[in-house]
């Protein structure tokens, strides 16, 4: 904080000047944001801005890492060598996204160890969508098409986020997400043009992933507690409901192209507004999954803990090498 380091007496004596200076500092910070300047790691920033970014970027990183599990589940069962190579590349991309994002969060003063500990203890959240199971190969198509598709809607505006390291990390992430979306749609296209059984698999996957994908944009604007401040700080550029609507408008015609039906009786095109109107989202389901009661929450964290334990020797070896290199340089 601004007055940190001042003792009680000094702080009390200086308070009127400090308050004015602090307000000016805050105003100058907001003016830089309003002018679309990027805030960099060493720049002054309000503590709440720093905390918001640490929470958001670390949650985003955790989602990329946990998100490898539902798809990793199908790596050994992909239907062809080509599909396996594509899926392997995609899952590896997600690992890379996690690593760029952990690095971006570290520039804000939080350590990687702390973020990992918070994930494993359940203190930190990750996207609820990854707590759903992948029960058929078509789920891999539905995830790429819908989950990566929704991620793109959320993430493209983040390339213009006011915090420089996050914005820059997102440029490459978005390019890779666009490949992920395409490969998922391609799987759905092949299945929906295949045998009746394959088409039924594609429809079943769409039925199960559609509503959770809509929940990925977060609660309705009226319920979203962090939104207004994040918009003012230009961390967020569009509201949850705006992004969700954009996603629906883009995705419904794609389902039509596939010859699949969205699992929503209320879905209809509103010609006057130029938007698809959709049914009520079951928010209770989202809150239950966030609270830890989704179908796979426990399994996902146990598997991550196991992977973390199995990787201990790699961290120890890297540390031993770094110590040796430091000793040689001294
Ligand atoms: Fe990703
Ligand atoms: Fe992705």
């Amino acid at each position: 904080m601004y007055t940190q380091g001042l003792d009680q007496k000094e702080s009390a004596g200086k308070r009127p000047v400090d308050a004015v200076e602090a307000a000016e500092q805050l105003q100058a910070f907001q003016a830089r944001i309003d002018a679309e300047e990027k805030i960099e790691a060493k720049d002054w920033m309000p503590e709440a801005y720093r905390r918001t970014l640490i929470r958001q970027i670390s949650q985003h990183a955790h989602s990329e890492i946990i998100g490898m599990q539902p798809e990793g589940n199908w790596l050994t069962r992909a239907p062809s060598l080509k599909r396996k190579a594509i899926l392997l590349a995609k899952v590896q991309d997600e690992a890379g996204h996690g690593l760029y994002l952990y690095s971006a969060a570290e520039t804000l003063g939080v350590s990687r160890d702390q973020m990992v500990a918070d994930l494993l203890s359940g203190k930190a959240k990750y996207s609820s969508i990854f707590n759903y199971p992948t029960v058929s190969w078509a789920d891999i198509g539905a995830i790429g098409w819908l989950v990566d598709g929704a991620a793109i809607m959320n993430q493209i505006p983040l390339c213009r986020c006011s915090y420089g390291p996050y914005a820059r990390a997102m440029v490459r992430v978005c390019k890779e997400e666009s490949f992920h979306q395409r490969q998922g749609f391609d799987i759905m296209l092949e299945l929906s043009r295949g045998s009746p059984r394959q088409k039924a698999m594609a429809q079943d996957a769409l039925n199960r992933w559609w509503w959770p994908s809509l929940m990925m944009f977060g609660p309705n604007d009226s319920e979203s507690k962090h939104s207004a401040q994040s918009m003012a700080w230009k961390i967020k550029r569009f509201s949850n409901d705006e992004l969700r609507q954009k996603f629906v408008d883009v995705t419904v015609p794609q389902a039509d192209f596939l010859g699949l039906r969205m699992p929503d009786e209320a879905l209809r095109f509103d010609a006057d507004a130029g938007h698809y109107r959709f049914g009520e989202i079951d928010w209770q389901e989202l809150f239950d999954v966030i609270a830890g009661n989704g179908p796979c929450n426990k399994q996902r964290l146990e598997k991550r803990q196991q992977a973390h334990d199995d990787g201990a020797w790699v961290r120890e070896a890297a540390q031993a090498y770094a110590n040796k290199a430091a000793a040689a340089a001294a």
Side-chain angles (χ1 to χ4, degrees):
M1 288 299 289
Y2 181 68
T3 53
Q4 213 169 32
L6 296 177
D7 67 27
Q8 207 66 37
K9 218 167 108 196
E10 197 180 355
S11 168
K14 284 193 170 182
R15 192 167 294 142
V17 178
D18 284 346
V20 171
E21 281 182 11
E24 281 172 359
Q25 199 166 29
L26 204 58
Q27 224 168 30
F29 174 80
Q30 189 62 48
R32 290 187 62 197
I33 289 191
D34 294 343
E36 299 289 338
E37 274 181 45
K38 291 280 177 255
I39 306 300
E40 298 298 339
K42 289 181 178 162
D43 295 347
W44 181 86
M45 62 186 81
E47 276 308 301
Y49 178 83
R50 184 187 300 278
R51 278 198 309 272
T52 298
L53 280 166
I54 290 176
R55 191 190 65 242
Q56 180 170 334
I57 302 173
S58 63
Q59 271 182 22
H60 190 166
H62 299 327
S63 304
E64 303 282 358
I65 297 298
I66 296 284
M68 295 163 73
Q69 290 187 36
E71 292 178 294
N73 181 33
W74 280 89
L75 279 174
T76 55
R77 294 176 289 161
S80 68
L81 183 61
K82 184 183 113 183
R83 288 294 178 199
K84 181 172 176 146
I86 294 170
L87 185 58
L88 201 53
K90 188 217 187 248
V91 173
Q92 285 174 341
D93 283 352
E94 306 300 7
H97 298 174
L99 298 184
Y100 313 149
L101 291 164
Y102 282 131
S103 300
E106 281 182 305
T107 64
L108 291 156
V110 61
S111 72
R112 172 98 50 110
D113 286 346
Q114 184 61 53
M115 289 185 273
V116 171
D118 288 348
L119 171 65
L120 294 177
S121 72
K123 188 178 162 209
K125 299 290 178 206
Y126 56 85
S127 182
S128 303
I129 192 90
F130 300 120
N131 290 315
Y132 290 86
T134 42
V135 299
S136 82
W137 171 252
D139 287 5
I140 301 305
I143 289 182
W145 173 35
L146 302 173
V147 177
D148 291 274
I152 293 169
M153 282 295 167
N154 264 324
Q155 294 176 6
I156 283 187
L158 289 173
C159 297
R160 293 190 295 127
C161 166
S162 59
Y163 187 56
Y166 193 24
R168 288 189 291 272
M170 290 318 295
V171 173
R172 178 168 171 172
V173 169
C174 283
K175 285 183 182 161
E176 292 174 347
E177 293 303 353
S178 134
F179 149 62
H180 300 169
Q181 196 270 351
R182 288 289 297 275
Q183 66 87 39
F185 188 77
D186 192 59
I187 292 173
M188 295 302 271
L189 191 60
E190 200 166 312
L191 291 175
S192 60
R193 290 184 177 171
S195 66
R197 209 170 138 217
Q198 285 174 315
K199 188 167 182 180
M201 263 171 68
Q203 181 65 57
D204 172 61
L206 171 57
N207 293 349
R208 285 178 292 107
W209 290 93
W210 174 244
W211 290 105
S213 303
L214 295 188
M215 294 174 198
M216 282 177 70
F217 296 92
N220 286 132
D221 294 349
S222 53
E223 308 291 325
S224 182
K225 54 179 177 173
H226 301 299
S227 280
Q229 183 59 74
S230 284
M231 298 274 255
W233 278 333
K234 299 196 176 172
I235 294 173
K236 208 176 158 99
R237 299 269 177 174
F238 299 97
S239 76
N240 295 352
D241 288 332
E242 281 172 326
L243 290 169
R244 190 170 7 249
Q245 185 65 58
K246 270 189 191 203
F247 175 69
V248 171
D249 289 343
V250 165
T251 312
V252 173
Q254 294 173 349
D256 291 343
F257 185 82
L258 292 172
L260 299 177
R261 270 193 80 240
M262 288 301 191
D264 180 357
E265 293 302 325
L267 187 72
R268 63 179 180 85
F269 188 65
D270 179 345
D272 294 338
H275 292 298
Y276 285 91
R277 300 294 176 209
F278 50 96
E280 194 56 42
I281 293 171
D282 178 3
W283 293 114
Q284 195 51 50
E285 178 180 326
L286 177 68
F287 301 141
D288 286 346
V289 181
I290 291 175
N293 304 317
C296 300
N297 296 53
K298 201 166 162 275
Q299 178 188 335
R300 298 289 184 244
L301 273 186
E302 279 172 4
K303 206 161 174 190
R304 180 90 295 274
Q305 179 70 59
Q306 183 66 48
H308 187 70
D309 296 346
D310 290 348
W313 71 272
V314 179
R315 295 190 295 279
E316 282 161 21
Q319 190 60 55
Y321 179 78
N323 293 346
K324 207 165 125 186

